[in-house]
Amino acid sequence: MIELRASRGPLAYKCPASLVETEIKAISDGDEEARLGEGVHAILADLIRDGNADRLGLLLGQGEGRYGVEADDMEPLVRNGWKIWRSIEHEYPGPQCEVTFERSAWGLRVVGHPDLFGGVVETLGLIDWKSGRLEDDWETQLRLYAWLLFGNFSVVNLVIASVILLRSMERIKYVWTREEIDAWFERFAERIKQTTSYNPGRHCAWCPRRITCPGKNALVRESLANAMEHKTLAANLATMDGKQLNQVRVQMKIVEEVAGQLLDFINDEIQARGGLVPVDEHSELVMREIVTKKLNYPLSKDVLRRYLSPFQIDDCVSIAKSKVEAELKATVYTGEKYKLVAQVMQELKECGALVDHGVQRRVELHIIPQQLGVKK
């Protein structure tokens, strides 16, 4: 029987071979984004159980120590979640958080714990909080939660599942009957039993098997081969549709990742050899330290005034916004930091002191949500 966590369902559905156990696993449990999500979920669960937002500061402080994530990073996401919860809590009578369920069928044992569920008689609602910037397929995960609820509550015939995107404060709803989910699960189970089926792609980044996976290695080889034909690819970009552009983009990101990792290994090897490795009789690889410098403005003013006008000095001096935010946060207790920073930045914006400073452009794959929509 195949064991499956509901949270891993989307990856298993996209690539059944990801379920194959391997001796060498990629470790990602310490990822900061994952720890941030754990902290946000735990604090929201505590707030909802207790119903008292006055404990937010205390919970953030505890979460900071427990999950190793800055309280200031968790606070805006928790506040967004709490605000949304207060507006929809009437839809979830008798809410329960982080309850673990398990169910077995079709050669598959599924274990999972919805972030929250509640309801009456034949209808249950469930919520899955999403704190990440780029989430994987969430519908498969929610279908598995629905399947677990149907299996553990025989009187329930309808599940209304909601994904709450905490960064954008969007809600996506799905409505499923028991018959729909049972039929879907049969197809799902048959698919993920095909553990010799590889389907490499963007989701490989979350796979514990990615280091030794033949499918991922084949994708790397294909990506490197396409990179060798970069002139042809560049010439054809104008004729590609969005799907083709994204495919090329994903492959080149893989090349960039592999090249970056290999360069890091080379640097480590040079460092291990004492920071100097002969290449030939005319050259050598040398590990150098590059020290950047900055001016201490209070100490430099007298010297600068002898050569520059006050207007020129003002034009040279800038205040680091991140540094100001850090200093502001240090002046108040946890739970008030985010509010103080927002207030000060608003005042600076109103007086014209907070201005745009350059523009950075980057392309991301954005999953388009249906805001407050219902999808069956």
Side-chain angles (χ1 to χ4, degrees):
M1 180 169 289
I2 296 176
E3 305 276 336
L4 179 68
R5 297 194 313 273
S7 59
R8 198 174 167 186
L11 175 61
Y13 185 75
K14 287 181 177 178
C15 184
S18 67
L19 292 173
V20 176
E21 290 295 326
T22 178
E23 292 183 3
I24 302 176
K25 294 183 179 180
I27 305 298
S28 59
D29 291 342
D31 179 73
E32 186 174 354
E33 192 76 19
R35 287 186 279 112
L36 173 66
E38 289 180 29
V40 168
H41 282 64
I43 292 171
L44 279 172
D46 282 342
L47 286 176
I48 291 169
R49 291 189 193 102
D50 189 53
N52 182 10
D54 293 338
R55 298 179 61 236
L56 177 58
L58 175 63
L59 293 173
L60 285 169
Q62 293 173 345
E64 191 172 49
R66 184 177 304 163
Y67 300 101
V69 182
E70 291 287 337
D72 298 327
D73 294 333
M74 294 186 287
E75 183 176 357
L77 299 176
V78 173
R79 287 189 181 278
N80 285 351
W82 180 249
K83 183 177 180 179
I84 292 173
W85 169 247
R86 293 309 304 270
S87 69
I88 63 175
E89 62 181 320
H90 61 278
E91 300 177 24
Y92 302 87
Q96 298 187 55
C97 300
E98 305 287 351
V99 177
T100 299
F101 297 100
E102 63 177 75
R103 185 183 178 187
S104 300
W106 298 98
L108 191 62
R109 177 176 175 269
V110 180
V111 178
H113 52 272
D115 293 334
L116 180 147
F117 76 94
V120 291
V121 195
E122 298 183 351
T123 300
L124 279 181
L126 72 88
I127 287 177
D128 192 34
W129 308 108
K130 295 297 183 184
S131 60
R133 290 181 173 83
L134 181 61
E135 296 289 348
D136 202 5
D137 166 37
W138 48 62
E139 184 174 340
T140 299
Q141 184 177 354
L142 263 68
R143 284 179 178 269
L144 288 172
Y145 287 149
W147 185 73
L148 288 171
L149 291 177
F150 282 131
N152 284 271
F153 297 96
S154 59
V155 299
V156 173
N157 290 315
L158 191 73
V159 167
I160 302 173
S162 291
V163 173
I164 306 294
L165 307 181
L166 294 173
R167 293 184 184 274
S168 58
M169 296 185 70
E170 293 170 296
R171 182 187 187 190
I172 303 143
K173 293 173 69 175
Y174 302 88
V175 181
W176 296 305
T177 64
R178 178 182 291 272
E179 292 73 20
E180 286 175 318
I181 289 298
D182 284 345
W184 169 85
F185 184 81
E186 181 179 350
R187 298 191 300 270
F188 172 82
E190 288 303 315
R191 175 179 171 82
I192 70 168
K193 289 177 187 176
Q194 310 302 316
T195 54
T196 57
S197 175
Y198 296 92
N199 180 31
R202 183 175 61 89
H203 47 275
C204 290
W206 293 278
C207 181
R209 193 185 177 190
R210 63 183 180 271
I211 294 177
T212 58
C213 174
K216 172 65 182 296
N217 291 335
L219 177 61
V220 170
R221 287 193 295 271
E222 180 185 350
S223 301
L224 291 171
N226 284 338
M228 297 295 291
E229 302 295 328
H230 61 279
K231 291 184 179 179
T232 303
L233 278 175
N236 292 332
L237 291 178
T239 65
M240 295 182 184
D241 59 24
K243 186 174 182 179
Q244 293 169 320
L245 280 174
N246 187 57
Q247 182 179 3
V248 173
R249 176 180 167 275
V250 168
Q251 289 187 337
M252 294 309 103
K253 294 291 285 185
I254 290 172
V255 172
E256 182 181 45
E257 177 188 353
V258 171
Q261 291 175 347
L262 187 54
L263 286 171
D264 287 341
F265 292 147
I266 292 171
N267 289 341
D268 291 342
E269 180 61 29
I270 293 171
Q271 184 68 42
R273 296 189 193 185
L276 191 151
V277 178
V279 175
D280 53 37
E281 58 184 19
H282 303 294
S283 60
E284 58 191 10
L285 293 172
V286 180
M287 178 66 70
R288 298 191 185 280
E289 288 188 353
I290 300 174
V291 180
T292 59
K293 297 183 180 296
K294 69 175 185 177
L295 287 175
N296 183 307
Y297 179 61
L299 296 179
S300 66
K301 285 189 296 186
D302 290 341
V303 174
L304 293 176
R305 285 169 179 168
R306 294 203 299 265
Y307 300 95
L308 299 174
S309 70
F311 296 106
Q312 289 174 307
I313 294 175
D314 285 345
D315 198 43
C316 293
V317 175
S318 62
I319 301 175
K321 178 173 173 286
S322 58
K323 179 66 174 174
V324 171
E325 290 178 345
E327 293 295 333
L328 287 170
K329 291 171 183 176
T331 65
V332 293
Y333 293 107
T334 299
E336 297 296 322
K337 298 181 179 183
Y338 176 71
K339 189 186 303 182
L340 176 62
V341 169
Q343 176 185 333
V344 173
M345 290 302 147
Q346 181 61 33
E347 291 181 19
L348 290 172
K349 182 178 179 180
E350 290 173 356
C351 73
L354 184 63
V355 295
D356 294 338
H357 180 65
V359 177
Q360 292 183 338
R361 291 183 173 87
R362 65 180 182 183
V363 175
E364 296 179 345
L365 182 64
H366 175 59
I367 300 172
I368 303 172
Q370 183 180 357
Q371 188 172 15
L372 299 177
V374 177
K375 183 176 180 180
K376 290 191 68 175

